[in-house]
Amino acid sequence: MPQITIPPIPAGELFGLLLHIPLFSLVVAAVIAAAVLVIRRSRASGVDRRRERSADPATALRYRPEHLALAVGAILVIAAFATENIVRGYLLRLANVVEWWQYATPVFAALVVVAAAFVLIVARKRTPEQPAPSNVRRTWATFGPRAGIAGALLALLALVTTTIAAGLASSPDADGRWILLVLTAPNATIDDVRPWFYGWAFGVPVLVCTAALVLATWLTLRSNAARPFLRPDTIAAETIARAEVANGTVSVAAAGMLLALGGAWRFIARSGSIGSLEIEGVSGSFDITWRYAEFAVVGGWLAPAVEVVAFVLLLLVASRLRRRPAGPAAISRPSSPTHETASAR
């Protein structure tokens, strides 16, 4: 009986094939996030240690529900993305169905998490025990993070631009659904090729969810910054806690948009990078042209990187679950007056 041998796949080629699987990006992101956490812990500077000591345990407990909500929410966003991919890709047979939820799911999941954080902030707003004067006008961006906000705005711009551009390039099918891309074969007498594409039928739900996510994120950051401090001696500790709330909010929102962007780029690459067509019974092949084919190819290569960044952000937010609340002995320890005075200025 002849033996069948399967030639081994080179490691580089195998890695490239795995990158075409969205959930493999989660595996890569888990390795990167673990490395980041180890490096952070090993390179903690004296400033970081003083910052941790200035975080009053009692104040940290007060903000603990919001931190937990964002950490658990980050895990739920990952779970929602993974569940949708597995159910749609392996358990359901969706023929001729516009699966718009594939791209809207991560944005909607991030919206739910951010909205939950906003509700917690508003519902748990407390009257200050002793008014803390402040000469600084606090806005939605007061507690940052500046780099995170800039990154989230870039993700928003990329997602909105991609969705609108793809929608304008799409064409309707016989049922009026904007899901097709018309590809022509110049100097040939064959009909246009019309593969499925990331058109308006897919993009409009993403735009709606994105608009709601942006609004929820702004409201959460604004409410987080605007609520009064409890006392003058808690300003330093509350500043640290609110910065973590802002960081988690921005990270979850940016990750949701990046996951949708990665999926959109994958879809555009599958359709827009078609370069040739072979017809059964006809010798030779026909060149297919689309003037944005180069962008589709680049988007297909960048999609895994975008998804990895999104998962790393979510995993870093989720890592806050490992923090343990301080015990009664630590809560009774007074905070550093030096930091309180410096922060109150």
Side-chain angles (χ1 to χ4, degrees):
M1 182 176 181
Q3 294 182 348
I4 300 176
T5 60
I6 300 176
I9 302 176
E13 186 177 340
L14 177 61
F15 185 75
L17 292 174
L18 290 175
L19 285 178
H20 286 81
I21 304 175
L23 289 181
F24 182 71
S25 299
L26 177 58
V27 177
V28 177
V31 175
I32 296 175
V36 169
L37 292 174
V38 171
I39 293 173
R40 279 184 181 179
R41 182 168 299 180
S42 62
R43 294 186 177 181
S45 64
V47 175
D48 294 330
R49 294 189 181 96
R50 289 195 300 269
R51 180 182 175 90
E52 290 178 1
R53 286 197 296 268
S54 68
D56 177 55
T59 304
L61 282 175
R62 178 188 176 226
Y63 287 86
R64 180 69 173 168
E66 296 155 25
H67 295 160
L68 285 177
L70 289 169
V72 173
I75 297 175
L76 292 179
V77 173
I78 296 175
F81 181 85
T83 301
E84 192 280 330
N85 268 264
I86 294 172
V87 171
R88 173 184 48 79
Y90 300 98
L91 301 181
L92 297 179
R93 296 178 61 87
L94 301 173
N96 199 33
V97 176
V98 179
E99 304 161 8
W100 56 264
W101 61 84
Q102 174 182 353
Y103 310 96
T105 292
V107 182
F108 181 77
L111 167 63
V112 172
V113 174
V114 173
F118 170 70
V119 171
L120 272 176
I121 292 173
V122 173
R124 302 178 65 251
K125 187 180 295 184
R126 293 175 56 183
T127 304
E129 301 173 6
Q130 181 181 350
S134 176
N135 297 326
V136 180
R137 180 177 176 270
R138 299 195 298 273
T139 66
W140 65 273
T142 297
F143 296 101
R146 294 183 179 180
I149 292 176
L153 291 176
L154 286 176
L156 171 64
L157 177 62
L159 178 59
V160 172
T161 301
T162 296
T163 303
I164 293 177
L168 293 175
S170 65
S171 299
D173 65 353
D175 297 325
R177 302 175 300 179
W178 290 78
I179 58 173
L180 300 178
L181 177 66
V182 178
L183 301 177
T184 60
N187 302 323
T189 57
I190 62 174
D191 294 334
D192 295 335
V193 180
R194 299 174 181 270
W196 277 45
F197 187 67
Y198 182 68
W200 289 120
F202 296 94
V204 169
V206 173
L207 291 176
V208 172
C209 290
T210 301
L213 175 60
V214 170
L215 177 60
T217 302
W218 178 78
L219 289 174
T220 303
L221 295 176
R222 180 176 177 274
S223 301
N224 180 52
R227 50 183 167 174
F229 295 109
L230 287 179
R231 300 186 309 274
D233 61 306
T234 63
I235 290 179
E238 290 193 73
T239 297
I240 295 173
R242 294 189 192 191
E244 291 189 353
V245 172
N247 183 284
T249 300
V250 172
S251 295
V252 170
M257 292 185 289
L258 287 175
L259 288 176
L261 179 63
W265 282 354
R266 287 180 184 274
F267 193 4
I268 292 172
R270 287 197 302 269
S271 305
S273 60
I274 298 176
S276 62
L277 175 67
E278 294 184 359
I279 301 178
E280 186 177 356
V282 178
S283 61
S285 61
F286 299 90
D287 292 332
I288 302 296
T289 62
W290 185 45
R291 56 181 174 177
Y292 302 114
E294 293 83 2
F295 294 100
V297 173
V298 173
W301 282 106
L302 291 179
V306 167
E307 292 169 347
V308 167
V309 172
F311 284 129
V312 168
L313 291 175
L314 293 172
L315 290 172
L316 291 179
V317 175
S319 67
R320 298 178 185 178
L321 284 175
R322 299 176 66 250
R323 298 180 185 177
R324 296 180 180 179
I331 293 177
S332 63
R333 183 182 61 197
S335 58
S336 171
T338 302
H339 283 267
E340 294 162 6
T341 304
S343 299
R345 291 177 182 176

